[in-house]
Amino acid sequence: MLDKLNENELEVASKLVFDGMSMAKKSMEQILQSPIKMEKIDWSNDDVPLPKYQNSANQSVHVIRTNLIGELKGTSHLIFSEDEVTKVLKACLPANIVESNSPESKMMKMGFLTEMDNMMAAAVITEFSNFLGLEIYGHVPSLEVVKGSEINAFVEKEVGEFDAIVHFKAIFHGQELDISPDFIWIFQEEFVDKIKNLV
């Protein structure tokens, strides 16, 4: 869908997405108390910017999804490998919780991950809402654990639920924590229409 934007419109869209992702990066830095570097944002029209976990076929991958509700429909996916989840939890939660497998500890660990996604998604949503003048909100995040070999099919299925879509993808690198989760957004074509109306 991005090929429908002219040069000025694409510049506006690029700035909007970059600013939104930059706010998400700041949120992650606040949560992790560690510097984060954002890798370039990939734009995709026909092909989904698929995650990098295919080579870790048997490892678990955590997918935290937030659905957009309101005047713009879409979904965000924050994706961590099993190793990255362990590193994040060790850095942010007390050792007795991280090392415990009690139902309460599991709930706290999953709650922490979904809250991280909630803060990052909210940063992007706020940027988009203010810039586009739309009322959009994030639904309560949901967490799914899938095998690395299944993650691409999982994202493709999500994409298939939209008739016309725009994808954005950023990878965040933790300088001290050594993590690089994917942050993928999928929007309906209405996103392009809103950009055109602004330029």
Side-chain angles (χ1 to χ4, degrees), residues 13 24 48 80 86 136 145 159 175:
V48 184
F80 289 97
T86 301
I136 49 177
V145 181
V159 170
Q175 295 176 22

Side-chain angles (χ1 to χ4, degrees), residues 32-48:
L32 300 179
Q33 294 294 298
S34 175
I36 297 290
K37 184 176 73 174
M38 184 170 67
E39 202 172 287
K40 74 178 182 69
I41 294 167
D42 291 326
W43 302 77
S44 180
N45 179 19
D46 298 319
D47 298 316
V48 184

